[in-house]
Amino acid sequence: MLKNYFKIAIAVLQRRKFFTFLSLFVISFTLMLLTVLASFVNKMFNDNYPDRKRDRSLYINAVTMTGPESMNRSMLSKSLVDDYINKLKTPVSVAISTWASSTNTYLNNKKISLQYKYTNAAYWDVLDYDFTEGKPFSRQQLDNAERVAVISEHLKQEYFGGGEVVGKFITADDIQYRVIGVVKDVAASSQMFFSDMYLPYTVSKKDYRKESGYFGSFRVILLAGRVADVAKMRQEYEHMASKLPITQSGYDKIESKAQDYLHAFLDFGRLGTAGNVYLAIAIFVCLVMFLPAINLVNINITRIMERSSEIGVRKSFGATSWTLTGQFIIENLILTLGGGLLSIPLSLAALALFNYLSLIDHFHLSLNVPVLLLSLLACIVFGLLSGVYPAWRMSRMHVIVALRTAS
């Protein structure tokens, strides 16, 4: 039966080539947009370089203090990390890092813009950066405040132009650092991990060790020894945070959450915004699919109206409404899958154009298996959206009306 439906669908598509072209264009263009969107979302939320231990990690962006008439929210201080977080029992390692700061450096009258962030030595144990040269700084180098730097491949090319660079010196923010390692570039969208230079926090002009209170300059990543310990680690941290003594007047509550990666990534503003982002993406996807689907519904109704005689004859020989509905839906799915195949080269071209324009540093989109599966799912949903109503409407046409319309 499916073979017959396929033959009928091909014959129908060849009958009115303009309608076929119009339908395929609408389907393939819509699916191209969805594929690019799926690739973008996949890259933003699922790219795990250098955060390959994500299933064992919890992320702490901020601590919030509230009172009857005031609220204050900030990143965490070094004293909070030392006095409380480092004393937690469940984490096997605690990484800290500052927000990346921008500066300019000059080499042979050439200005180079770069970003740098400060970390501790445990940062390199928690995160798995790919080193193409050298190695990260050690705990001893951090304690000794050695002016050493791990740089990105991009900065290496910009500053040195290539070759072996470990042992060479680079100047940034009017300070000279010795390069001890080079890592593969991180996409600029991964703000937690992106930087051009990674420096020991002890070499900063600002002495982070003198930060007092709970508000400071660090984001924290807790690493559990096993995936099964993550929930326990979250509970231990949030219990500790709720028991922090309040030493500032005007506040009566402290809140700080240890979150999974996705919620921490979305939680740079206020707590609890992840749901809004999901809703916004869902609404956008529905709009992208719904409007072309309406146009395709009209095209399909016009196409099926031309087949009134076929519908009338088949009904007069006993074909049921369910049989005709199923046939029209399958024909529409075949048409949609054809548009889906055409959308693949269009999507590849759109992704190549996006990567060529380099709108986001080191942010390269690709068409991988999850994106292809999402595109296939979009094909099926799109085919059903645009095919069910025309098929249902025409299958319910009375046999006399169908034959009269045909004549």
Side-chain angles (χ1 to χ4, degrees):
M1 182 179 294
L2 289 177
K3 185 177 179 180
N4 291 333
Y5 286 169
F6 181 78
K7 289 180 178 179
I8 294 173
I10 296 299
V12 170
L13 294 177
Q14 291 178 339
R15 188 184 304 167
R16 296 293 297 269
K17 292 184 173 56
F18 176 73
F19 280 161
T20 301
F21 166 78
L22 198 58
S23 299
L24 289 175
F25 176 79
V26 171
I27 294 168
S28 58
F29 189 77
T30 302
L31 293 178
M32 179 200 71
L33 292 178
L34 290 174
T35 302
V36 173
L37 175 64
S39 178
F40 187 86
V41 172
N42 181 62
K43 179 68 177 179
M44 287 285 290
F45 297 147
N46 295 327
D47 183 20
N48 65 353
Y49 172 72
D51 188 28
R52 297 187 175 113
K53 301 168 186 170
R54 192 170 292 176
D55 59 341
R56 292 195 286 134
S57 300
L58 290 175
Y59 308 80
I60 308 166
N61 288 333
V63 58
T64 304
M65 295 180 65
T66 55
E69 298 179 351
S70 58
M71 186 189 82
N72 202 349
R73 174 183 166 91
S74 173
M75 297 172 74
L76 286 67
S77 68
K78 186 64 174 57
S79 62
L80 175 57
V81 175
D82 290 339
D83 296 342
Y84 295 96
I85 299 177
N86 280 340
K87 295 178 181 177
L88 297 176
K89 296 179 180 177
T90 310
V92 295
S93 192
V94 178
I96 63 172
S97 62
T98 62
W99 190 270
S101 302
S102 299
T103 188
N104 294 324
T105 187
Y106 296 88
L107 182 68
N108 300 326
N109 295 323
K110 174 188 175 184
K111 186 177 85 172
I112 299 174
S113 298
L114 62 90
Q115 296 193 42
Y116 62 97
K117 66 167 54 182
Y118 297 103
T119 77
N120 62 352
Y123 184 82
W124 306 104
D125 298 327
V126 175
L127 300 167
D128 288 333
Y129 284 83
D130 292 334
F131 278 80
T132 57
E133 288 182 52
K135 58 184 180 181
F137 51 80
S138 64
R139 175 67 181 271
Q140 184 175 1
Q141 288 174 312
L142 181 133
D143 292 340
N144 295 338
E146 292 185 29
R147 290 180 174 172
V148 293
V150 174
I151 65 174
S152 67
E153 283 190 319
H154 175 75
L155 180 58
K156 170 189 168 181
Q157 291 297 325
E158 283 275 305
Y159 196 90
F160 297 104
E164 296 286 337
V165 298
V166 170
K168 294 184 178 180
F169 289 87
I170 182 171
T171 301
D173 203 19
D174 299 325
I175 298 176
Q176 194 175 57
Y177 300 95
R178 179 169 56 89
V179 177
I180 61 171
V182 180
V183 294
K184 288 185 177 179
D185 295 327
V186 176
S189 58
S190 300
Q191 283 295 326
M192 291 187 194
F193 321 113
F194 167 77
S195 187
D196 295 306
M197 291 183 71
Y198 302 86
L199 306 169
Y201 71 83
T202 50
V203 303
S204 169
K205 294 177 181 177
K206 175 183 178 181
D207 192 347
Y208 292 111
R209 290 168 290 189
K210 294 182 179 178
E211 286 184 335
S212 58
Y214 304 137
F215 296 150
S217 311
F218 290 101
R219 181 184 295 117
V220 177
I221 304 176
L222 306 178
L223 180 68
R226 304 177 304 162
V227 176
D229 292 336
V230 171
K232 179 183 176 184
M233 185 167 67
R234 185 199 308 272
Q235 186 178 19
E236 184 183 13
Y237 174 78
E238 295 185 355
H239 177 73
M240 180 276 296
S242 67
K243 299 297 182 183
L244 287 172
I246 300 174
T247 57
Q248 290 182 259
S249 60
Y251 300 102
D252 55 16
K253 182 180 179 182
I254 295 179
E255 184 182 24
S256 182
K257 291 188 176 181
Q259 302 171 297
D260 58 44
Y261 174 79
L262 181 58
H263 285 81
F265 179 87
L266 299 171
D267 185 27
F268 288 124
R270 299 175 55 186
L271 295 175
T273 56
N276 294 335
V277 175
Y278 289 136
L279 180 62
I281 292 175
I283 292 174
F284 180 79
V285 170
C286 289
L287 286 176
V288 168
M289 294 184 66
F290 183 73
L291 295 179
I294 291 296
N295 289 328
L296 199 57
V297 164
N298 292 327
I299 294 173
N300 286 339
I301 289 176
T302 303
R303 186 195 296 276
I304 295 175
M305 281 290 289
E306 295 179 335
R307 302 169 64 183
S308 298
S309 59
E310 174 191 338
I311 295 171
V313 170
R314 292 191 60 184
K315 280 204 161 191
S316 65
F317 280 92
T320 66
S321 297
W322 283 111
T323 302
L324 293 173
T325 301
Q327 176 187 338
F328 293 140
I329 290 176
I330 290 173
E331 288 179 10
N332 200 61
L333 284 174
I334 292 172
L335 178 67
T336 307
L337 290 175
L341 291 176
L342 289 177
S343 73
I344 293 177
L346 289 176
S347 301
L348 289 173
L351 295 177
L353 178 62
F354 183 92
N355 293 335
Y356 173 78
L357 294 176
S358 297
L359 299 176
I360 303 175
D361 290 343
H362 319 308
F363 191 89
H364 299 287
L365 299 180
S366 60
L367 195 64
N368 50 33
V369 173
V371 173
L372 280 174
L373 291 177
L374 285 174
S375 299
L376 177 62
L377 177 63
C379 277
I380 296 172
V381 173
F382 194 79
L384 292 174
L385 276 177
S386 59
V388 168
Y389 174 70
W392 174 82
R393 177 177 168 181
M394 299 311 296
S395 66
R396 294 180 63 84
M397 183 182 294
H398 194 276
V399 59
I400 296 176
V401 175
L403 293 174
R404 185 183 302 158
T405 303
S407 63

